[in-house]
Amino acid sequence: MEDKQFCYKYPHPAVTTDCVIFGFDGSNLKILLIQRGIEPYKGKWALPGGFLKPDESAETGALRELKEETGLESAYIEQFHTYSTPDRDPRERVITISFLALVKLQDVKGGDDAADACWSSVHEVPQLAFDHDVILRDALARLRERIHFYPIGYDLLPEKFTMKELQTLYESVLGVRFDRANFAKKMLHLDILIQLDETVWPTPKREAKLYKFNLVKYKELKQRGFRLEF
Amino acid sequence: MEDKQFCYKYPHPAVTTDCVIFGFDGSNLKILLIQRGIEPYKGKWALPGGFLKPDESAETGALRELKEETGLESAYIEQFHTYSTPDRDPRERVITISFLALVKLQDVKGGDDAADACWSSVHEVPQLAFDHDVILRDALARLRERIHFYPIGYDLLPEKFTMKELQTLYESVLGVRFDRANFAKKMLHLDILIQLDETVWPTPKREAKLYKFNLVKYKELKQRGFRLEF
């Protein structure tokens, strides 16, 4: 059987998409990692990703990867950087177009490829295959930039949440601690939260109000851009 | 003579870099355009760019293009997006990694490729080849995002400049008009300008102070990030 070949007059690189898929479990910011089943870096953990198909844009390829790994048809995704150092893959020249995605963990269904997948806290990520450590670092930097302008909680939190959960999310992303009263004041001042009549009891002694996002105001604010100063 | 060929088991796209090179002539924000000498889009204007060489990263390729077109060895460059719609080039599948660059027009020396080059005001750009209209629009959006956080004047203005020139630059990028006194007050408040003992006479009736950037404070501010609210 003859192998089909694709030939060009000049060298062409292979092109992949890689996805840094962020989720939040109420305590920690997490990313999805896949254990590689083949060489190179067999057994090492890596970001989910794969070769771009001939009829796919990078965005379509990233959404396909997201679906394969999480079962999700859609999510907030954003292209953030393309990595092209000539020797970043030992097999051949591979250029990777990288995306970050924000998902609600409770909506994730293990996808087709999820056998060797795990959600790792961003602060406990092992050394990754290829240059994925750098890609993860850059994705985190982009997320920290975004958090000042977009209420990322809408994409990462369940529909109803406590102010404490929202605060913990911001603290996990930014790697700092906030004063509880100040944080709540700033968030309420943005006027994008609706306080519900429901409460929960996070501990037997403490009752906590539940909030949800006001989608209309959220979209207005997102379009206008804003800066959350902490 | 046999043509050398490069063959792969799977289809590989061609990869280019395109550069949106911004300059400022004292009145208008300009970009460098190149008139295409070959098909497709022969005779049409396009962004400078070209195929990535096998041993180049995208950043190295973009700097090579910049040097060829402007004679400049270095400049502020930033990768901002990769365009990958499958049919964006009628010849074959071409993915382009796009950069924006900021140059001082008085330092530009016509490069090797500059025969059919021109600096066009960003508000008077003709319809461009390929999807370069979209690339230009996105580059402008990124520059407008950047202007709130980086004193881009350092990269675009001559060493010594008047407050009016700085204001005109900000107005050209943002497409708005500022109150003269307010603009000067905000800029001086950032503490990144040094007022020189020299003056110029932009009109016979008006003497204007000259300023230059305080590089140390500029770098501190750039590292910290800041937001200029207009």
Side-chain angles (χ1 to χ4, degrees):
Chain A
M1 201 179 86
E2 201 191 340
D3 275 349
K4 196 174 174 200
Q5 291 226 309
F6 297 87
C7 299
Y8 308 93
K9 209 172 158 189
Y10 300 100
H12 280 32
V15 174
T16 57
T17 58
D18 282 309
C19 296
V20 183
I21 306 175
F22 289 104
F24 180 66
D25 69 359
S27 307
N28 287 294
L29 186 67
K30 306 234 160 182
I31 59 158
L32 186 63
L33 295 177
I34 307 290
Q35 195 166 28
R36 288 183 59 79
I38 54 163
E39 294 292 351
Y41 299 104
K42 190 175 173 178
K44 280 264 187 189
W45 293 91
L47 298 170
F51 291 96
L52 197 58
K53 296 185 175 168
D55 59 348
E56 281 180 334
S57 69
E59 284 67 27
T60 309
L63 284 169
R64 174 175 52 78
E65 291 294 334
L66 182 78
K67 171 102 196 288
E68 285 171 9
E69 304 300 347
T70 66
L72 298 172
E73 294 278 351
S74 70
Y76 175 90
I77 70 160
E78 173 180 343
Q79 192 199 114
F80 68 92
H81 199 75
T82 295
Y83 298 84
S84 58
T85 308
D87 60 358
R88 56 178 295 284
D89 189 313
R91 292 166 294 185
E92 65 171 319
R93 179 165 199 187
V94 181
I95 289 175
T96 194
I97 307 171
S98 295
F99 290 80
L100 66 84
L102 306 181
V103 304
K104 293 178 195 290
L105 283 183
Q106 73 276 12
D107 294 345
V108 170
K109 297 164 273 292
D112 301 340
D113 290 6
D116 299 309
C118 94
W119 287 92
S120 165
S121 165
V122 291
H123 303 298
E124 290 162 10
V125 170
Q127 205 191 353
L128 301 177
F130 306 105
D131 52 1
H132 290 188
D133 294 320
V134 176
I135 297 178
L136 171 58
R137 187 199 63 197
D138 293 350
L140 266 170
R142 176 62 65 98
L143 186 63
R144 286 186 188 126
E145 232 181 272
R146 281 283 165 267
I147 205 172
H148 293 293
F149 296 96
Y150 298 103
I152 59 166
Y154 181 71
D155 298 298
L156 288 167
L157 289 172
E159 195 198 343
K160 302 170 184 181
F161 49 86
T162 65
M163 190 61 80
K164 176 76 184 158
E165 285 170 324
L166 188 62
Q167 180 176 341
T168 305
L169 169 62
Y170 275 71
E171 289 177 341
S172 311
V173 172
L174 292 168
V176 293
R177 290 280 165 267
F178 298 121
D179 173 77
R180 190 172 174 132
N182 266 343
F183 181 84
K185 193 176 144 196
K186 275 180 180 168
M187 274 296 159
L188 293 173
H189 181 70
L190 283 177
D191 199 23
I192 51 171
L193 298 180
I194 298 171
Q195 189 188 316
L196 303 173
D197 282 336
E198 302 166 62
T199 57
V200 286
W201 293 85
T203 68
K205 285 190 173 172
R206 191 168 65 80
E207 187 177 13
K209 294 168 192 161
L210 281 176
Y211 295 87
K212 66 176 192 177
F213 281 102
N214 181 333
L215 201 56
V216 175
K217 296 229 172 169
Y218 167 83
K219 280 185 181 162
E220 276 173 25
L221 195 65
K222 192 166 169 176
Q223 200 144 35
R224 232 173 40 230
F226 65 99
R227 182 164 173 89
L228 265 176
E229 298 289 354
F230 290 110
Chain B
M1 203 176 88
E2 202 192 341
D3 275 350
K4 197 174 173 201
Q5 290 227 309
F6 298 87
C7 298
Y8 309 93
K9 210 171 156 190
Y10 301 99
H12 280 34
V15 175
T16 57
T17 58
D18 282 309
C19 296
V20 183
I21 306 176
F22 289 103
F24 180 67
D25 69 358
S27 307
N28 288 294
L29 186 66
K30 305 232 160 184
I31 59 158
L32 187 63
L33 296 176
I34 307 292
Q35 194 165 29
R36 288 183 60 80
I38 54 164
E39 294 293 349
Y41 298 104
K42 189 175 175 180
K44 280 264 187 188
W45 293 91
L47 297 170
F51 291 96
L52 197 58
K53 295 184 176 171
D55 60 347
E56 280 180 335
S57 69
E59 284 66 28
T60 309
L63 284 169
R64 175 176 51 77
E65 291 293 334
L66 182 78
K67 172 105 194 287
E68 285 171 11
E69 305 299 347
T70 66
L72 298 172
E73 295 278 353
S74 70
Y76 175 91
I77 70 160
E78 174 180 342
Q79 193 200 113
F80 68 93
H81 200 76
T82 295
Y83 298 83
S84 58
T85 308
D87 59 357
R88 54 178 297 283
D89 189 313
R91 292 167 293 184
E92 65 170 318
R93 179 164 200 186
V94 181
I95 288 174
T96 194
I97 307 171
S98 295
F99 290 79
L100 67 83
L102 306 180
V103 305
K104 293 178 195 288
L105 282 183
Q106 73 276 10
D107 294 346
V108 170
K109 296 165 273 292
D112 300 341
D113 290 5
D116 299 310
C118 95
W119 287 92
S120 165
S121 166
V122 290
H123 304 297
E124 290 162 9
V125 171
Q127 206 194 351
L128 301 177
F130 307 105
D131 51 2
H132 290 189
D133 294 319
V134 175
I135 298 179
L136 170 59
R137 185 199 63 197
D138 294 350
L140 266 169
R142 176 63 66 97
L143 186 63
R144 285 185 188 126
E145 230 180 273
R146 281 282 165 266
I147 206 172
H148 293 291
F149 296 96
Y150 298 103
I152 60 166
Y154 180 72
D155 298 297
L156 287 167
L157 288 171
E159 194 197 344
K160 301 170 186 179
F161 50 86
T162 65
M163 190 60 80
K164 176 76 183 157
E165 285 171 324
L166 187 63
Q167 180 176 341
T168 306
L169 169 61
Y170 275 72
E171 290 177 340
S172 311
V173 172
L174 292 168
V176 293
R177 291 280 164 266
F178 298 121
D179 174 76
R180 191 173 174 131
N182 266 343
F183 181 85
K185 194 176 142 197
K186 276 181 180 168
M187 274 296 158
L188 292 172
H189 181 71
L190 284 177
D191 199 23
I192 52 171
L193 298 180
I194 298 171
Q195 189 187 316
L196 303 173
D197 282 337
E198 300 167 62
T199 57
V200 286
W201 292 84
T203 68
K205 285 190 171 171
R206 190 169 65 82
E207 187 178 13
K209 295 168 191 162
L210 281 176
Y211 295 87
K212 66 175 193 178
F213 281 103
N214 181 334
L215 201 56
V216 175
K217 297 230 170 166
Y218 167 83
K219 281 185 179 161
E220 277 173 24
L221 194 66
K222 192 168 166 175
Q223 200 142 35
R224 230 171 44 227
F226 66 99
R227 181 164 173 90
L228 264 175
E229 299 288 354
F230 290 111

